[in-house]
Amino acid sequence: MKKLTLLGMGVCIALAFSSCKSSESAYKKAYEKAKQQELAEPQTAVAVEETAPVVVAPASSKVVESAPVGVRQEKVTVVSGGNGLKDYSVVCGSFGVKANAENLKAFLDREGYNAIVAFNAEASMYRVIVATFADRASAADARDAFKARYPNRQDFQGSWLLYRIN
């Protein structure tokens, strides 16, 4: 009886292994067939129709003076450091947590800057300001000099100009 059971199991295993057609999957075959068809078909370029841009009139008749290119406009209030802000400022860091902004301010103060922490209530962000100027050109020069002083600090390479809205 044991011999018969063992023989039956052996025959089942032999049939199971012999019934496998190929080790290559059907997905691989379908991929190869699609690839061959893609190579056989001639490539045609699709013409793109150019359309004129749509200009939408502003909803209100109030004229808003836009900021110069490369300058962000924000309403900020001084939280710590400095006597006040002028029109243009160089921002080297933005934080959601005041303690992080104060730590960066302390580092910049040790480096010889008179850093200022300002708060933007609309964005709930603390801005760390390295320098502040009355004109945009001076602020841009200071931003570029600041970036040049710290070429290996990627966080300082993202410094930007802020135009303070009253």
Side-chain angles (χ1 to χ4, degrees), residues 144-157:
D144 296 340
F146 181 74
K147 287 181 177 183
R149 182 171 176 188
Y150 299 99
N152 295 329
R153 294 224 20 194
Q154 291 302 313
D155 53 341
F156 288 167
Q157 294 304 309

Side-chain angles (χ1 to χ4, degrees), residues 24-44:
E24 195 171 322
S25 72
Y27 295 112
K28 186 174 180 182
K29 288 180 182 178
Y31 173 77
E32 293 297 329
K33 185 177 178 182
K35 193 72 162 173
Q36 288 175 353
Q37 286 178 351
E38 183 180 297
L39 294 174
E41 292 177 3
Q43 298 295 327
T44 58

Side-chain angles (χ1 to χ4, degrees), residues 68-72 88-93 113 128-133 135-151 153 155-163:
V69 177
V71 178
R72 295 185 201 174
Y88 292 92
S89 300
V90 179
V91 177
C92 67
Y113 291 98
V128 180
I129 296 171
V130 177
T132 183
F133 299 92
D135 63 306
R136 182 178 185 268
S138 298
D141 291 342
R143 178 199 58 207
D144 296 340
F146 181 74
K147 287 181 177 183
R149 182 171 176 188
Y150 299 99
R153 294 224 20 194
D155 53 341
F156 288 167
Q157 294 304 309
S159 297
W160 48 276
L161 297 182
L162 166 72
Y163 178 76

